[in-house]
């Protein structure tokens, strides 16, 4: 059996471009509308649909597709009777009721309904009844099940959801008062998203998971749902374009489901790569960073109302080559630094060509006074603007990250946690770090101590634990996470056989040795050059006991 990586192509996942089996996709609607001689569309989505589209397509790309207006389903919308509307929503009761209301109000010329997950027959009947009552049956042109209930963030990474993510979180699954019905609902939500992913991928996976936990529950339900779909040869979502009828590809992805309890230390670990640091210390969701502008931090005159800090967003997308190259790196290499500096020099050169040396960016739009210079530089103007934008983006983002590193001493935490997880010799007392008022936030201190507690061969003695608790309380920490981890470790008997955070090879690496020339805000003052280890987390219990691994393989 060959194991292949699950590769997700950005645009193949979105309804505009995918085409799987008998599920007709949004581009079919686009072709129909184009054949009618119109390129003006209205896109209506709910919060779930917005989260799916947002990381994949910009407003400009939507406009290029003919979508001139995009609105939330539950916002106040005025009628546009001469324009067709394309809906991209979850088939919830609330959304169905609003679609029926739109039909009654005759908001649009025609309706193309695209549901993120499969819609039930009863809800389809509700739409049909509303359309019949509103005399709008002919206006409901198409209804599609898109099977796109997941969010693609990168070529090789997706998440299940962003809205209401706490409902399927680790806390939701492991809380003490959870009912069987609640657990079933959580498992069904997870399975639906995974099923949609494999439908879009067009591949039937080979499923592997450990026994006796939530991972096995998900695997069993997913296996059952896949088999039920494959039994119906005429309507199967896995036959058609990519597979001949009745035939399945030998190149099937291996889908490994693991329970979070296998490795609790890694999510708590302070990271040291560009992307992970942004996610840890900044407001980073769906490939967008939200930051407060520095201009708002200036002190206000005495007695005046404090200035409101403006928030600015930056999109970190696949089109950003600098981001793609360095997001997984613990440093910006000298080559990256040189390229970055060359971009800034190029910006200055192009400004010089256009006679804009020393001028602000607004001067770029005022070139009519020098036609000759405009002619020679007009071809370089898009390049100038894009490079300037990227320079500003990464300058601001990386500066904010470094401010957090220096103010919270995250380099100290990273280095100490690396030694704890690799069982290396510690050169500093844990109590000293916890007691240091300048070393991190209470959350940082608690994360460090939890890693110490989880990775230790034996739990600390009661007297030592009381001493640590006192230091944590003095630092302003909430001890609830520690109490949970104590119960978790006792329940899973991890104290006797802890997870192996193996001692791997060491490579000296620094985060940003020099990103810009000397004097830049990027200079790493007071931040150490650290070692970055690449961990391969193995569960020795499962490795030594192969029978503990459950096999839910579809059509092995």
């Amino acid at each position: 059996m060959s194991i292949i990586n699950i590769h997700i192509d950005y645009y193949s996942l979105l309804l505009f471009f995918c085409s799987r089996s008998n599920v007709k996709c949004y581009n079919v609607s686009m072709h129909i509308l184009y054949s009618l001689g119109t390129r003006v569309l209205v896109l209506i989505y709910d919060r779930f649909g917005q989260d799916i589209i947002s990381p994949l397509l910009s407003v400009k790309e939507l406009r290029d597709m003919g979508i001139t207006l995009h609105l939330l389903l539950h916002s106040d919308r005025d009628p546009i009777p001469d324009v067709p509307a394309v809906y991209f929503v979850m088939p919830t009761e609330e959304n169905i009721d609003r679609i029926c209301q739109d039909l009654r109000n005759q908001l649009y010329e025609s309706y193309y309904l695209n549901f993120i997950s499969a819609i039930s027959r009863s809800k389809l009947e509700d739409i049909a009844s509303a359309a019949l009552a509103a005399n709008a049956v002919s206006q409901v042109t198409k209804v599609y099940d898109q099977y796109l209930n997941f969010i693609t963030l990168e070529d090789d990474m997706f998440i299940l959801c962003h809205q209401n993510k706490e409902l399927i979180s680790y806390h939701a699954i492991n809380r003490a008062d959870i009912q069987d019905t609640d657990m079933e609902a959580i498992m069904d939500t997870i399975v639906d998203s995974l099923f949609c992913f494999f439908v879009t991928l067009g591949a039937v996976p080979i499923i592997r998971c450990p026994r006796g936990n939530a991972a096995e529950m998900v695997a069993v339900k997913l296996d059952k749902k896949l088999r039920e779909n494959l039994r119906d040869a005429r309507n199967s979502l896995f036959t058609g374009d990519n597979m001949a009828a009745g035939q399945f590809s030998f190149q099937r992805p291996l889908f490994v489901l693991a329970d979070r309890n296998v490795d609790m230390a890694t999510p708590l670990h302070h990271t040291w790569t560009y992307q992970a640091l942004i996610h840890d210390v900044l407001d980073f969701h769906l490939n967008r960073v939200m930051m407060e502008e520095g201009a708002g931090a200036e002190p206000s005159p005495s007695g005046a109302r404090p200035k409101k800090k403006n928030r600015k967003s930056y999109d970190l997308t696949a089109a950003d080559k600098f981001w793609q190259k360095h997001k997984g790196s613990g440093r910006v290499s000298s080559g990256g630094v040189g390229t970055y500096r060359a971009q800034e020099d190029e910006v200055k050169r192009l400004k010089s060509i256009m006679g804009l040396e020393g001028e602000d960016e607004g001067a770029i739009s005022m070139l009519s006074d020098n036609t000759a210079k405009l002619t020679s530089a007009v071809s370089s103007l898009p390049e100038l603007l894009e490079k300037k934008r990227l320079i500003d983006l990464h300058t601001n983002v990386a500066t904010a990250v470094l401010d957090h590193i220096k103010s919270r001493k995250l380099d100290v935490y990273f280095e100490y946690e690396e030694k704890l997880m690799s069982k290396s010799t510690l050169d500093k007392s844990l109590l000293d770090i916890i007691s240091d008022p300048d070393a991190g936030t209470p959350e940082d201190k608690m994360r460090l101590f939890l890693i110490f507690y989880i990775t230790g061969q034996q739990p600390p003695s009661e007297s030592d634990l009381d001493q640590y608790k006192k230091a944590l309380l003095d630092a302003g920490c909430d001890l609830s996470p520690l109490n949970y981890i104590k119960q978790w470790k006792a329940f899973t008997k991890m104290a006797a056989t802890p997870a192996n955070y193996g001692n791997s090879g060491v490579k000296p690496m620094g985060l940003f040795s020099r990103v810009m020339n000397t004097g830049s805000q990027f200079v790493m003052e007071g931040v150490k050059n650290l070692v970055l280890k690449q961990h391969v987390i193995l569960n020795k219990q499962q490795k030594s006991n192969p029978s503990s691994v459950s096999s839910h393989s579809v059509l092995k």
Side-chain angles (χ1 to χ4, degrees):
M1 177 189 68
S2 61
I3 301 175
I4 62 171
N5 294 323
I6 297 178
H7 180 80
I8 312 169
D9 181 77
Y10 265 69
Y11 292 99
S12 68
L13 296 185
L14 201 60
L15 68 167
F16 304 111
F17 297 95
C18 67
S19 180
R20 296 296 182 202
S21 188
N22 59 342
V23 181
K24 304 302 180 182
C25 295
Y26 184 98
N27 61 331
V28 177
S29 304
M30 299 285 287
H31 291 314
I32 292 172
L33 294 171
Y34 291 162
S35 66
L36 295 175
T38 176
R39 291 180 59 92
V40 180
L41 305 176
V42 177
L43 175 62
I44 310 298
Y45 47 63
D46 61 359
R47 293 291 183 184
F48 292 93
Q50 185 181 35
D51 290 342
I52 293 171
I53 295 174
S54 177
L56 299 175
L57 293 175
S58 65
V59 173
K60 180 182 180 302
E61 289 171 315
L62 289 175
R63 287 175 179 167
D64 290 342
M65 296 173 183
I67 297 172
T68 56
L69 186 63
H70 44 92
L71 301 167
L72 283 169
L73 176 65
H74 294 283
S75 62
D76 294 330
R77 291 174 282 119
D78 296 326
I80 312 177
D82 297 329
V83 175
V86 181
Y87 287 71
F88 183 48
V89 298
M90 287 288 286
T92 63
E93 289 287 350
E94 186 180 17
N95 289 348
I96 298 300
D97 290 343
R98 188 56 188 264
I99 292 173
C100 294
Q101 180 181 332
D102 290 353
L103 292 172
R104 289 191 293 269
N105 294 337
Q106 296 287 314
L107 291 187
Y108 307 109
E109 178 189 66
S110 56
Y111 301 83
Y112 293 78
L113 305 181
N114 295 268
F115 293 104
I116 297 172
S117 290
I119 184 173
S120 65
R121 183 177 181 85
S122 61
K123 292 176 182 176
L124 271 176
E125 291 174 352
D126 292 340
I127 295 175
S129 299
L132 188 62
N135 195 25
V137 174
S138 61
Q139 293 176 272
V140 182
T141 309
K142 298 289 181 181
V143 179
Y144 299 123
D145 289 334
Q146 295 294 354
Y147 294 96
L148 293 168
N149 189 18
F150 57 94
I151 301 171
T152 307
L153 298 180
E154 299 178 6
D155 285 353
D156 53 2
M157 184 174 73
F158 70 96
I159 59 176
L160 301 187
C161 67
H162 180 65
Q163 299 292 326
N164 302 327
K165 59 185 176 183
E166 66 279 356
L167 299 180
I168 59 170
S169 64
Y170 176 87
H171 174 265
I173 295 174
N174 291 276
R175 70 180 192 270
D177 60 343
I178 189 170
Q179 303 294 321
D180 289 346
T181 53
D182 297 334
M183 179 63 80
E184 286 292 326
I186 293 172
M187 296 298 106
D188 289 340
T189 301
I190 295 173
V191 168
D192 181 69
S193 293
L194 293 175
F195 180 78
C196 289
F197 168 74
F198 286 111
V199 169
T200 303
L201 192 67
V204 181
I206 299 169
I207 307 174
R208 296 289 184 268
C209 70
R211 293 184 182 275
N213 52 34
E216 185 182 23
M217 293 178 64
V218 172
V220 171
K221 284 180 170 290
L222 179 60
D223 176 77
K224 180 180 178 182
K225 192 163 187 172
L226 288 167
R227 290 179 183 273
E228 288 175 351
N229 186 265
L230 289 168
R231 287 194 188 101
D232 187 354
R234 293 183 61 186
N235 297 313
S236 174
L237 300 169
F238 296 94
T239 58
D241 294 340
N242 293 331
M243 302 177 186
Q247 300 294 323
F248 299 97
S249 172
F250 289 102
Q251 295 296 322
R252 295 165 56 196
L254 174 63
F255 183 47
V256 180
L257 269 168
D259 195 282
R260 179 72 271 168
N261 288 316
V262 170
D263 171 28
M264 291 287 282
T266 299
L268 300 169
H269 185 28
H270 288 85
T271 51
W272 203 246
T273 61
Y274 188 30
Q275 183 181 34
L277 275 168
I278 291 174
H279 185 272
D280 195 4
V281 304
L282 301 179
D283 184 6
F284 183 46
H285 300 288
L286 301 180
N287 294 344
R288 176 169 294 176
V289 183
M290 298 294 297
M291 293 172 50
E292 292 182 350
E293 289 184 314
E298 296 176 359
S300 300
S302 177
R305 179 179 297 178
K307 293 182 179 179
K308 185 178 180 180
K309 293 183 179 180
N310 296 322
R311 288 178 65 83
K312 191 167 185 177
S313 64
Y314 299 100
D315 292 322
L316 302 175
T317 65
D320 186 341
K321 294 182 180 179
F322 185 89
W323 170 250
Q324 292 300 311
K325 182 176 181 180
H326 296 291
K327 64 183 179 181
S329 174
R331 58 176 294 190
V332 176
S333 64
S334 59
V337 174
T339 302
Y340 215 54
R341 292 180 63 184
Q343 288 182 349
E344 186 175 36
D345 293 341
E346 181 70 5
V347 169
K348 293 178 180 178
R349 184 186 69 81
L350 292 172
K351 276 193 172 186
S352 178
I353 291 174
M354 292 184 288
L356 298 175
E357 192 97 41
E359 298 290 339
D360 58 19
E361 290 185 32
I364 295 176
S365 61
M366 302 173 64
L367 297 171
S368 58
D369 61 333
N370 198 328
T371 306
K373 291 179 180 179
L374 173 61
T375 303
S376 62
V378 68
S379 61
S380 302
L381 185 57
E383 181 184 10
L384 163 70
L385 297 175
E386 179 62 16
K387 288 184 177 180
K388 182 67 168 64
R389 185 187 68 83
L390 291 178
I391 289 174
D392 291 342
L393 186 158
H394 288 288
T395 298
N396 294 335
V397 170
T399 299
V401 169
L402 291 179
D403 287 343
H404 279 278
I405 292 174
K406 290 186 284 186
S407 64
R408 293 164 56 181
K409 296 186 178 179
L410 296 183
D411 52 325
V412 175
Y413 283 93
F414 170 78
E415 185 177 20
Y416 202 90
E417 290 165 4
E418 284 283 303
K419 292 179 179 179
L420 286 174
M421 296 173 74
S422 61
K423 307 295 189 296
S424 301
T425 304
L426 303 176
D427 57 357
K428 192 174 184 179
S429 169
L430 179 61
L431 273 175
D432 291 342
I433 300 178
I434 295 175
S435 303
D436 185 354
D438 298 325
T441 63
E443 182 182 299
D444 294 326
K445 298 176 191 291
M446 178 55 72
R447 287 167 62 180
L448 174 62
F449 183 74
L450 291 179
I451 290 175
F452 164 76
Y453 193 90
I454 291 170
T455 58
Q457 295 288 348
Q458 296 293 335
S461 64
E462 286 299 324
S463 59
D464 289 342
L465 187 59
D466 290 340
Q467 193 175 5
Y468 285 125
K469 284 183 177 180
K470 183 179 183 303
L472 290 169
L473 287 172
D474 292 342
C477 297
D478 179 7
L479 296 185
S480 300
L482 175 59
N483 296 332
Y484 175 81
I485 290 296
K486 284 178 63 179
Q487 295 176 359
W488 164 80
K489 196 164 185 177
F491 179 75
T492 57
K493 300 179 181 180
M494 292 290 285
T497 54
N500 177 33
Y501 299 92
N503 192 1
S504 60
V506 179
K507 296 181 180 181
M509 302 183 80
L511 175 62
F512 295 115
S513 55
R514 289 193 312 178
V515 181
M516 300 288 279
N517 57 341
T518 304
S520 167
Q521 298 180 34
F522 280 73
V523 176
M524 285 283 292
E525 296 178 0
V527 181
K528 297 180 181 179
N529 288 330
L530 303 174
V531 295
L532 177 64
K533 298 180 182 178
Q534 298 177 349
H535 292 284
V536 178
I537 310 300
L538 299 176
N539 187 345
K540 281 191 171 181
Q541 286 179 297
Q542 294 178 1
K543 193 174 182 180
S544 60
N545 184 14
S547 63
S548 67
V549 180
S550 176
S551 173
H552 296 277
S553 175
V554 179
L555 300 181
K556 288 198 295 184

